[in-house]
């Protein structure tokens, strides 16, 4: 797709599905944002029912699977909230991003994403505590036990709990920021690819892409975690992680080539101000946490050692014979060790 002309790339979609290859109108989820509309006497809550489409369970299951990949509550919540801010920022480019405030924060972040993350974390907790009894299938006396044994055959052989600890070192902090960036870019590619390739949101290719990303992304996340957690044993980043990064970058290049005009629509001034402020805050925290704070702690440690040295020196002078009682005690310990 990247090496084709824009017209040929879009018409190539007809070989996959004859109904593709035609421009589609973008659906706007904004408009009337009243939760209770008194003007509609037949159904005052029609705005809520209009938003409850097939994408609500898709949001839930999507974040359930993403939680199984990332395995960290805070990282999942940060990515979820950050994507809503991206939708606010880019709704002037894609009308599909225009949603009501309660659709953003109540339906998406709290109900769909939040519930999916919660169920995912509960599943992770169950998998980490589960014990396996790998006895022979025909040695199990009951049919219920046999069915459980068959189901357990498709569960993971081992399960590793991810502890990202982003604030423990600058290396881990930059790695976690990179993971969040790639996740958000892959999420945006979903919407922009639909827009530039003229695919309806409910098309099976969109779902297949997400299923593909879940499978390869799960392996890639394990490779990234192993590389970060034990760099002496895992000296190189895994092939699957590089492959996911390459696919995400290629998708972004396709979007840039097929519709550069949409991507170059300038952000509103207040949106730009908010992003600049956020970037400054992140950079300031990074500088304080990994540079200024370490220098301050090192200075305090050196000052404490100087004070202890001065105290010992004063104590030596106060003995009168020029020897410290601490040094005498250490010499006595050495003599006892030699005798033993």
């Amino acid at each position: 797709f990247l090496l084709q002309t824009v017209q040929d790339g879009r018409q190539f979609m007809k070989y996959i599905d004859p109904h593709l290859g035609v421009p589609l109108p973008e659906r706007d989820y904004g408009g009337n944002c009243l939760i209770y509309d008194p003007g509609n006497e037949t159904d005052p809550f029609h705005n809520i029912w209009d938003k409850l489409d097939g994408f609500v369970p898709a949001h839930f299951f999507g974040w359930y699977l993403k939680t199984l990949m990332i395995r960290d509550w805070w990282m999942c919540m940060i990515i979820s909230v950050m994507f809503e801010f991206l939708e606010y920022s880019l709704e002037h480019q894609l009308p599909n991003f225009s949603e009501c405030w309660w659709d953003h924060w109540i339906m998406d972040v709290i109900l769909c994403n939040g519930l999916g993350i919660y169920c995912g974390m509960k599943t992770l907790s169950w998998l980490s505590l589960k014990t396996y009894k790998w006895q022979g299938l025909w040695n199990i006396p009951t049919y219920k036990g046999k069915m459980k044994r068959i189901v357990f055959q498709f569960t993971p052989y081992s399960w590793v709990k991810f502890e990202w600890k982003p604030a423990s070192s600058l290396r881990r902090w930059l790695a976690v920021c990179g993971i969040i960036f790639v996740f958000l870019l892959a999420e945006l590619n979903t919407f922009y690819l639909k827009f530039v390739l003229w695919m309806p949101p409910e098309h099976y290719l969109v779902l297949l892409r997400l299923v593909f990303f879940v499978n390869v992304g799960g392996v890639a996340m394990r490779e990234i975690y192993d590389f970060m957690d034990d760099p002496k044993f895992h000296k190189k980043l895994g092939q699957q992680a590089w492959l996911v990064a390459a696919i995400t970058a290629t998708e972004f290049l396709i979007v840039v080539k097929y519709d550069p005009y949409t991507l170059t629509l300038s952000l509103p001034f207040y949106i730009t101000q908010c992003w600049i402020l956020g970037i400054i805050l992140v950079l300031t925290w990074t500088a304080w946490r990994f540079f200024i704070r370490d220098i301050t702690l090192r200075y305090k440690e050196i000052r404490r050692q100087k004070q202890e040295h001065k105290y010992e020196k004063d104590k030596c002078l106060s003995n009168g014979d020029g020897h410290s009682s601490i040094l005498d005690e250490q010499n006595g310990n050495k003599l006892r060790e030699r005798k033993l």
Side-chain angles (χ1 to χ4, degrees):
F1 274 97
L2 183 60
L3 300 177
Q4 306 303 315
T5 63
V6 176
Q7 185 64 23
D8 289 345
R10 287 170 175 167
Q11 293 305 313
F12 178 78
M13 300 295 291
K14 287 183 175 292
Y15 291 96
I16 302 174
D17 188 345
H19 297 94
L20 299 178
V22 294
L24 298 172
E26 276 285 308
R27 181 178 177 182
D28 186 357
Y29 287 86
N32 188 359
C33 292
L34 292 174
I35 298 178
Y36 180 83
D37 188 3
N40 192 323
E41 297 180 356
T42 57
D43 189 4
F45 296 99
H46 67 96
N47 287 326
I48 298 178
W49 312 134
D50 291 341
K51 305 297 188 296
L52 295 176
D53 50 17
F55 295 101
V56 172
H59 270 267
F60 169 79
F61 285 111
W63 272 104
Y64 174 78
L65 295 175
K66 290 172 193 172
T67 306
L68 298 183
M69 293 166 53
I70 302 174
R71 308 184 194 179
D72 185 82
W73 174 274
W74 287 107
M75 278 185 66
C76 290
M77 288 303 300
I78 288 172
I79 294 174
S80 174
V81 173
M82 284 291 295
F83 187 76
E84 299 303 321
F85 281 116
L86 285 174
E87 286 188 333
Y88 272 120
S89 305
L90 300 174
E91 63 182 17
H92 67 288
Q93 295 183 1
L94 293 186
N96 190 230
F97 285 153
S98 178
E99 298 176 349
C100 298
W101 66 268
W102 46 269
D103 198 358
H104 277 294
W105 303 111
I106 297 178
M107 291 185 63
D108 285 352
V109 174
I110 297 177
L111 294 180
C112 297
N113 302 356
L115 189 60
I117 294 171
Y118 174 79
C119 293
M121 294 303 297
K122 286 296 182 182
T123 304
L124 291 171
S125 177
W126 177 72
L127 286 171
S128 63
L129 297 176
K130 185 175 61 174
T131 58
Y132 297 96
K133 296 181 180 179
W134 295 101
Q135 56 182 327
L137 180 63
W138 304 112
N139 294 332
I140 303 174
T142 62
Y143 286 105
K144 183 178 179 181
K146 287 183 171 65
M147 293 302 299
K148 282 186 177 181
R149 171 64 179 81
I150 293 173
V151 172
F152 284 165
Q153 183 67 34
F154 300 96
T155 55
Y157 174 75
S158 63
W159 197 264
V160 175
K161 182 181 179 182
F162 287 0
E163 295 179 357
W164 294 104
K165 299 178 182 178
S168 60
S169 66
L170 180 61
R171 179 175 178 269
R172 294 183 76 95
W173 168 247
L174 294 177
V176 169
C177 290
I179 292 170
I180 293 174
F181 174 79
V182 173
F183 252 91
L184 292 175
L185 182 59
E187 291 277 356
L188 289 176
N189 286 341
T190 305
F191 292 89
Y192 279 93
L193 283 173
K194 290 188 300 183
F195 179 77
V196 301
L197 295 178
W198 297 344
M199 287 190 297
E202 63 275 4
H203 198 272
Y204 71 90
L205 284 178
V206 180
L207 179 62
L208 283 179
R209 175 187 171 274
L210 296 176
V211 171
F212 170 79
F213 254 108
V214 166
N215 284 278
V216 299
V219 181
M221 291 298 292
R222 176 61 184 271
E223 292 178 347
I224 295 171
Y225 182 79
D226 287 340
F227 177 72
M228 290 172 52
D229 197 54
D230 192 3
K232 293 182 180 179
F233 184 76
H234 303 276
K235 297 182 179 180
K236 293 182 179 180
L237 191 61
Q239 297 176 355
Q240 203 81 352
W242 284 113
L243 186 63
V244 170
I247 291 172
T248 306
T250 305
E251 288 181 342
F252 178 71
L253 292 176
I254 291 172
V255 174
V256 172
K257 179 179 179 178
Y258 277 55
D259 196 352
Y261 172 75
T262 300
L263 286 182
T264 53
L265 291 175
S266 59
L267 297 174
F269 182 65
Y270 68 95
I271 296 292
T272 306
Q273 285 181 318
C274 292
W275 280 105
I276 291 175
L277 178 60
I279 293 172
I280 290 174
L281 290 175
V282 171
L283 292 177
T284 303
W285 184 88
T286 303
W288 174 82
R289 179 63 179 81
F290 300 106
F291 296 99
I292 300 174
R293 180 174 174 269
D294 291 344
I295 293 173
T296 305
L297 292 175
R298 197 178 301 116
Y299 171 76
K300 290 181 178 180
E301 180 65 21
I302 294 173
R303 187 178 177 183
R304 185 184 64 80
Q305 291 177 358
K306 286 182 178 180
Q307 290 178 349
E308 289 181 355
H309 180 70
K310 184 179 178 182
Y311 172 76
E312 291 179 0
K313 188 176 179 181
D314 293 341
K315 195 171 183 180
C316 289
L317 295 174
S318 64
N319 287 338
D321 54 354
H323 294 284
S324 171
S325 59
I326 298 175
L327 292 175
D328 292 340
E329 184 179 351
Q330 291 177 351
N331 292 331
N333 291 333
K334 290 181 180 179
L335 283 173
R336 282 191 290 272
E337 288 176 1
R338 286 173 187 166
K339 289 179 180 179
L340 289 173

